[in-house]
Structures are given as structure tokens and as C-alpha cells.
Amino acid sequence: MNQTLNEKQKWYWKKNIKLIISLLVIWFLVGLGAGVLFAEPLSNIQFFNVSLAFWFAHQGSILVFILLILTYAVRMDKLDKQYKEMLKDGN
Amino acid sequence: MSVEVITIILVLITFATYTGIGWWSRVRDTSNFYVAGQGVPTLANGAAIAADWMSAASFISMAGLVAFLGYDGTIYLMGWTGGYVLLALLLAPYLRKFGKFTVPDFIGDRFYSSSARAVAAVATIFISLTYISGQMRGVGIVFSRYLQVDIVIGVLIGMAIVGFFALLGGMKGVTWTQAIQYFVIIIAFLIPAFAISFQLTGNPIPQLALTSSDIIDRLGQIQVDLGMTEYMVPFTDLSMINVFMVTLALMAGTAGLPHVIVRFYTVKSVRAARWSAVWAIIFIGLLYLTAPAVGAFAKYNLIDTIADQPLEEVQNIEWVSKWETTGLLQLDDVNGDGVVNFTGGEDNEVFIDGDIIVLSTPEVANLAPFIIALVAAGGLAAALSTASGLLITMTSAVSHDIYYRIFNKEASESQRLRVGRITLLIALAIAAYVGINPPGFAGEVVALAFGLGAASLFPVILLGIFDKRMNKEGAIAGIVTGLGFTLIMIGAMLSQSILGTDEPILDSFFGINAQGVGVVGMVLNFVVSFIVSRMTPEPPKDIQELIENVRAPEIDE
């Protein structure tokens, strides 16, 4: 394994970590945030026939979780592709 | 045809299918036996993960739990799905890149230590064993209620079916059976949900009906009228700190479940691991988005059917009398006025086990006998699919991690396979035993297995991937602290059922209950392993290379 490959791997890992952190911030804000920590203020906001807090706690958070995992898979596919192209350019 | 006959036919058809798949996918080598030769297609693996994950608890109990907790039921909804985000982002891709057979494999290799491997193997066996007793209870309930078969015989039939395809096909047989079982589970869950939603609200899509109809308002109103708590208001059953802690404990615990993690070893590549996570959360989400609607609708319907009605009339309803014989529904006319008083106070005369919410929905809503039979088959599929995954996991912990990797490193392929199958038989016998004679505190222990997983396996795997400096000393100190603290806390808080004391030794840990205390154990684990690892030598060069390799992108697929 030569030095440039290691550099590229480091770049890949950094990108990966950044993506994970931003997705987990959303995970926390939507799940434990909207569903638990801010449940009381959000209970006063009406969302169709239920309160917004209730909707997040029983429906919305799960929908967001699905989207987060999907986003991760799509973005990592893109990153893999960029990485492979970098390898080609380097050689 | 009567409900019983249709149920028997449907159960026989599904069981014959599972057995057929077991025969078709029989295996001869350890790679197939433990990880299905790492050749499972993404979509099938997603369905298998979903079936593996969604146990009897998800199918039978969860909607009922949510219905009785109201808003606070989110601990299960978010806890069990949100943990999946942690698993998909933080653990699954790297464990697949590592590419061995089991969770203790990773922990043992990463921390270059047989004792770490042994601790992980024991934790795996303990978590799986407590879990499997819950599955067997589910099988027993379905058999006794729908087919009037004795619970013992029901458990034995279930074990025989699981044993057949697991012994022959190992992980390969289990995976393909689970993929089929997912579709049985989801169809059996969705059809009654559409029907009851349409009946109550005129909208057949339960997720939309929950939000857009006035059913939650009406349910809340009825509950308040009867003296129960509000449905839509948060923290009426649990304090905010407990909702937060329990949700987090279930999330981290879910991410640390060995029988689910191991599913990611069965796919072809890291990319396939990421995409099977996507399919799995979509498949799981379908049930988890439906469950809170089913719970609310079924509860409304149930209260509406029996509350304040003449006792004699209620007892004459067919499903009421059938559930009464199982003991899961009890009507007791305490004040002798001949009317069913269903309240939240002392004068309550109705005792409902949450487990019957889903199972009784088709009958309470007067749906066709075929749908009732379908729900029975779905409950069995949910219990059996999880039980089979747990069996393989326990088996690999004993025969691969303990026997082969620690005691007999020279064992040949056929020796290992034989030990694997013998272990599976023993595990099967133990599972049947705990299914027939569940320990008094089984229900509590299952929920607590998550707390223990959160305090032990989850932090150790996470640090193993993301902290290169983490070494053997830190990891072991962390596990021992996290596990020890959580076990002591749980033992003290549940001492009435576990140790037999008159009063709990400890009420709570600064307001955190037994289900949520695993989060404190997890934080302690992180802190202790960080400090200890920084005071001891860094891990050897070859281990640092292993971590680099796990993090590096996979070039060929």
C-alpha cells in the first residue's frame, strides 16, 4: 500500500464520518428531540387531527429514520464512485 | 369451514413451505452453516433481517403496548426503529468489511484477546436465550388460543419445525425461510389493519387514518370519561427522563443485538450490506408505522364493545369467552351490578393482557374467518423466524467462538459442523424447556436484555471501529463496568421478582427505571474504556492495520 492510496483512504474516511455525523444529528433532533425533549411545546401545535408531537412520536420519526438510512446508502454509493475515479486519475 | 379448520390448513401450508425450503437449502460446510456462504441477495437479506428482527413481541405485543401507553408508547416505536439507524450507519458496513462469522469474532480479533471473545460469546448466549423464551411464549399463545392445543405440544411442534430447517440448512436455510416468513408476517398484519381502519374511519390506509380522522380525539375522550389517562398527551405513564432513557436504551440495545448484526455478514459486499439495511428498515417500517394505528383503533373498538355493557351480554360474545379461557382477558363484576365497569381506577372490572390487542382485532372487528387464521399464521411466522435466527446465533457462539476459536483451533471442517449441529440440538432443547416453563420474570428479562446489550456489546463494537487507540485493557474494563453496573441496578430495582425480596432494594437510579438504566451503563462503559485505554499501551501494529482495513473503501465487488 503506497502513501497516496493512504491519503485517498483518509479522505474517504473523513467524508464518511462527516456524513454519519450530520445524519445522526437529524436522527437525534427528530427522534429524541421532537418526540421527547420538545414534546410538551410541540403538543400545542395541531397537525391535522393530532398534535405535532404525537405525530412525530408515533409516525414521523419512523419515516425520517427510513429516509436517513436510504440517504446514507445513496451518498455512500456516490462516495465509492468518486473514490474509484480518484484511483483511476492517480494511476 | 370453521375458523379452527382454516387456521389448521393455513398453518400446515406455511409449515410445509418452511420445511421444504430447509430441505432445498441444506448445507455441508461451515461458511454456509454460519453465514449462508455470504451469497444472499440484498432484497432477500432485507426481508430476512426484517423477519429476524420482528419477533413475537413486534407482531403480537407491540401494538398492545402502545395502545396501553398512549403517547409514551413511542419508547417502543422509536426505540426499536431508531436503533436501526445506529446499526446501519455505525456498525453494519464495517462488520461486513471485517467479514468473519460472528460478533464475538470481531470483538476477539479486534481486541486480540480470548477473554474478550469469551465475554462477548457469553453475552451473546445470554441475550439470545432470554429472547428465545419470549418467542416460545408467543408460539404457545397462538397454538392454545387458535387451535385449542396444549401449550406444551404447541411449543414442541414449533421447535420441531425450526429445528428441522436450522439443522439441515444452517444460516442458509434460516435466511431463505425468514425471507418467506416476512411476507407472511406483513400480510397478516396489514390486512386486518386495513379492514379495521376502513370500518372505524372510512379510510383504509391506517397511517393516514390515524392522523386525519378524529379517532385519537375520540379515544382520548372515552379514556378521560372512564377515568383513564389522556391518549395523546406525553409523559402521563412515564416521566420525560424515563421516556428519553428507555428509548435510548432500546435503540443502543437494538443496534447491539447479535442475531441481527450477524445478518450483515451474509451478504456479498459492503455496498450490499448498506442496501440490505435500506430494504430492512423499509420492511420493518411498514409494520412499525401500522402498529400505532392498529393499537389505537383496536383499543377504541374494544372499549366501545365492552365498557358499560351488561356483563351477561359481553360474556356471550364469542371472542370474549374464548379469550377468557386463556386467562388473558378477565371480567370480574366486583361491585355486582351486572355491568362491565372499565375504568382507570379501583372500581375497574376488566383486566386485559396487551398481547390480545393484535390477535383479537379481526374478531372484535368481525372480520372473515380466513383473516383470523391469517393472523395466527403471521404470529407463528414472527415467533419462529426470530427463534431460528437466535438458535443459529447461540450455536455459533458456542461451537465457533468458544469451541473452535478458543479450545480446539485444529478442528476440521466436518468436526466443526458436527459440533455446530449438536450445539443447535442442545440449544433447541433449552429453548423448548424455557418456552414450556418460562421463568417468572421472563417478560422483564427480555426487555432488560436490551439494556445489557446497550451497556456491553454496542459500545465495544463502536469503539472497536471508530477509536483506533482503543485497546484490549480499555475494552475489557469498559464491558465489565457497563455490564456490572447495569446488572446490579436491574437486580436491585427488580429485586421483588428476581431475588424475591418484599420491596425493591432500589426504586430508581436518580429517577431512571430499570429499562432505561442501561444507558447509564453505556455511558460508564464509554468513559471507563476511554480512560483505561489512554493509560495503557496502544494496540499492536497488526491490529491498527486491521482497523485501517475495516475503514478503507471496498474496491472490487
Side-chain angles (χ1 to χ4, degrees):
Chain A
M1 226 175 260
N2 58 41
Q3 192 54 42
T4 45
L5 192 67
N6 269 332
E7 294 271 311
K8 282 169 192 159
Q9 284 176 335
K10 267 182 205 152
W11 169 84
Y12 178 91
W13 181 248
K14 260 189 205 148
K15 283 271 196 181
N16 178 33
I17 294 283
K18 241 174 109 181
L19 177 60
I20 291 175
I21 291 176
S22 39
L23 293 177
L24 285 183
V25 168
I26 302 175
W27 166 83
F28 185 86
L29 286 179
V30 170
L32 294 165
V36 185
L37 296 177
F38 314 124
E40 272 156 359
L42 291 182
S43 279
N44 300 324
I45 303 171
Q46 191 81 4
F47 182 78
F48 293 95
N49 266 316
V50 295
S51 76
L52 191 58
F54 180 84
W55 185 79
F56 268 116
H58 281 217
Q59 297 282 311
S61 57
I62 302 174
L63 288 170
V64 173
F65 295 157
I66 295 174
L67 287 178
L68 290 177
I69 295 175
L70 179 67
T71 311
Y72 184 67
V74 170
R75 294 284 297 272
M76 286 308 283
D77 273 3
K78 238 188 210 161
L79 191 60
D80 275 352
K81 218 170 140 194
Q82 280 179 323
Y83 176 79
K84 270 179 218 164
E85 261 155 33
M86 279 176 75
L87 282 191
K88 264 191 230 152
D89 295 345
N91 286 338
Chain B
M1 268 194 285
S2 75
V3 175
E4 272 77 19
V5 176
I6 302 176
T7 309
I8 290 174
I9 294 173
L10 212 58
V11 168
L12 283 179
I13 292 174
T14 52
F15 277 20
T17 313
Y18 307 154
T19 325
I21 294 169
W23 179 251
W24 165 75
S25 55
R26 57 197 186 280
V27 296
R28 281 179 206 85
D29 58 69
T30 49
S31 165
N32 268 307
F33 191 76
Y34 292 132
V35 290
Q38 302 187 327
V40 179
T42 312
L43 186 75
N45 195 46
I49 294 170
D52 198 358
W53 181 303
M54 291 191 295
S55 58
S58 288
F59 186 92
I60 299 175
S61 310
M62 194 183 54
L65 286 169
V66 173
F68 282 94
L69 283 173
Y71 186 102
D72 301 345
T74 188
I75 54 174
Y76 298 108
L77 297 169
M78 280 206 289
W80 284 334
T81 53
Y84 204 77
V85 178
L86 299 177
L87 181 56
L89 270 53
L90 298 174
L91 309 183
Y94 314 102
L95 291 175
R96 176 62 193 83
K97 186 84 196 301
F98 169 72
K100 290 271 180 66
F101 286 167
T102 67
V103 171
D105 252 344
F106 176 78
I107 294 176
D109 287 2
R110 165 65 180 84
F111 298 110
Y112 43 100
S113 151
S114 281
S115 18
R117 186 188 303 275
V119 171
V122 170
T124 300
I125 295 166
F126 177 77
I127 293 172
S128 304
L129 203 60
T130 51
Y131 228 86
I132 211 166
S133 67
Q135 308 314 313
M136 289 302 111
R137 176 185 139 88
V139 172
I141 291 180
V142 172
F143 268 106
S144 64
R145 166 58 186 81
Y146 287 92
L147 300 171
Q148 272 83 48
V149 177
D150 190 60
I151 288 196
V152 176
I153 297 173
V155 169
L156 292 179
I157 296 173
M159 296 318 292
I161 299 291
V162 174
F164 182 81
F165 62 73
L167 273 175
L168 272 182
M171 190 54 142
K172 195 174 160 204
V174 166
T175 303
W176 287 106
T177 318
Q178 283 174 336
I180 302 294
Q181 281 165 332
Y182 172 75
F183 292 98
V184 177
I185 294 171
I186 201 68
I187 291 169
F189 201 84
L190 290 183
I191 289 182
F194 292 148
I196 191 172
S197 174
F198 184 68
Q199 218 174 62
L200 282 184
T201 67
N203 183 343
I205 312 294
Q207 293 82 357
L208 296 179
L210 181 76
T211 314
S212 62
S213 77
D214 60 348
I215 208 81
I216 292 290
D217 268 340
R218 266 150 67 193
L219 178 58
Q221 194 54 49
I222 292 191
Q223 294 207 159
V224 172
D225 290 347
L226 293 173
M228 302 173 192
T229 54
E230 274 267 20
Y231 195 83
M232 203 170 47
V233 174
F235 317 130
T236 52
D237 295 79
L238 288 165
S239 63
M240 190 206 251
I241 181 154
N242 273 323
V243 173
F244 186 88
M245 288 303 210
V246 175
T247 306
L248 201 52
L250 291 179
M251 284 174 171
T254 297
L257 285 181
H259 71 284
V260 178
I261 294 178
V262 76
R263 294 237 59 100
F264 290 98
Y265 288 95
T266 64
V267 292
K268 286 190 199 81
S269 63
V270 174
R271 177 167 187 268
R274 291 195 296 258
W275 280 98
S276 47
V278 174
W279 283 115
I281 188 72
I282 291 174
F283 287 145
I284 293 168
L286 204 53
L287 187 139
Y288 273 69
L289 288 167
T290 312
V294 169
F297 296 163
K299 192 181 185 192
Y300 176 81
N301 214 2
L302 193 78
I303 296 179
D304 197 44
T305 311
I306 63 174
D308 299 326
Q309 301 295 317
L311 181 67
E312 215 169 304
E313 244 173 66
V314 170
Q315 280 176 328
N316 278 336
I317 304 174
E318 203 191 347
W319 61 263
V320 171
S321 59
K322 279 189 179 167
W323 282 109
E324 267 196 298
T325 56
T326 62
L328 298 177
L329 174 69
Q330 290 167 30
L331 302 172
D332 181 12
D333 194 10
V334 182
N335 60 7
D337 64 354
V339 173
V340 180
N341 298 323
F342 194 2
T343 72
E346 293 276 307
D347 51 344
N348 180 35
E349 299 174 346
V350 184
F351 300 90
I352 297 177
D353 188 307
D355 283 356
I356 71 178
I357 286 278
V358 167
L359 295 178
S360 69
T361 298
E363 294 160 293
V364 181
N366 280 319
L367 303 180
F370 174 74
I371 295 177
I372 301 174
L374 190 64
V375 171
L380 285 175
L384 294 179
S385 58
T386 305
S388 57
L390 289 165
L391 273 176
I392 292 284
T393 306
M394 277 196 280
T395 302
S396 56
V398 174
S399 64
H400 177 78
D401 298 312
I402 296 179
Y403 167 75
Y404 171 59
R405 297 299 304 269
I406 298 179
F407 286 109
N408 186 359
K409 289 184 181 144
E410 312 293 311
S412 71
E413 184 80 3
S414 64
Q415 260 178 323
R416 287 160 59 195
L417 205 57
R418 193 166 57 237
V419 171
R421 287 191 163 126
I422 294 170
T423 316
L424 191 93
L425 269 180
I426 298 172
L428 203 59
I430 299 174
Y433 179 82
V434 292
I436 295 165
N437 308 299
F441 47 88
E444 277 134 349
V445 174
V446 171
L448 302 172
F450 284 92
L452 294 177
S456 60
L457 294 178
F458 175 69
V460 159
I461 302 173
L462 191 71
L463 291 172
I465 298 164
F466 290 90
D467 182 10
K468 209 164 35 166
R469 180 66 178 75
M470 185 49 59
N471 58 11
K472 172 167 90 178
E473 292 80 1
I476 293 176
I479 293 196
V480 171
T481 314
L483 210 54
F485 172 83
T486 311
L487 269 176
I488 291 171
M489 282 298 145
I490 289 174
M493 286 185 217
L494 299 178
S495 61
Q496 283 166 300
S497 50
I498 295 177
L499 304 172
T501 56
D502 291 333
E503 293 286 320
I505 297 173
L506 192 71
D507 275 333
S508 67
F509 180 78
F510 297 105
I512 302 167
N513 70 17
Q515 264 187 305
V517 81
V519 173
V520 184
M522 175 172 82
V523 172
L524 283 177
N525 185 335
F526 278 127
V527 171
V528 168
S529 44
F530 184 83
I531 295 173
V532 171
S533 69
R534 270 30 180 204
M535 292 176 353
T536 43
E538 62 174 27
K541 273 277 164 294
D542 59 320
I543 298 298
Q544 298 193 24
E545 267 163 36
L546 172 92
I547 305 163
E548 293 270 298
N549 181 47
V550 161
R551 293 175 174 189
E554 198 175 45
I555 302 166
D556 46 353
E557 277 178 11

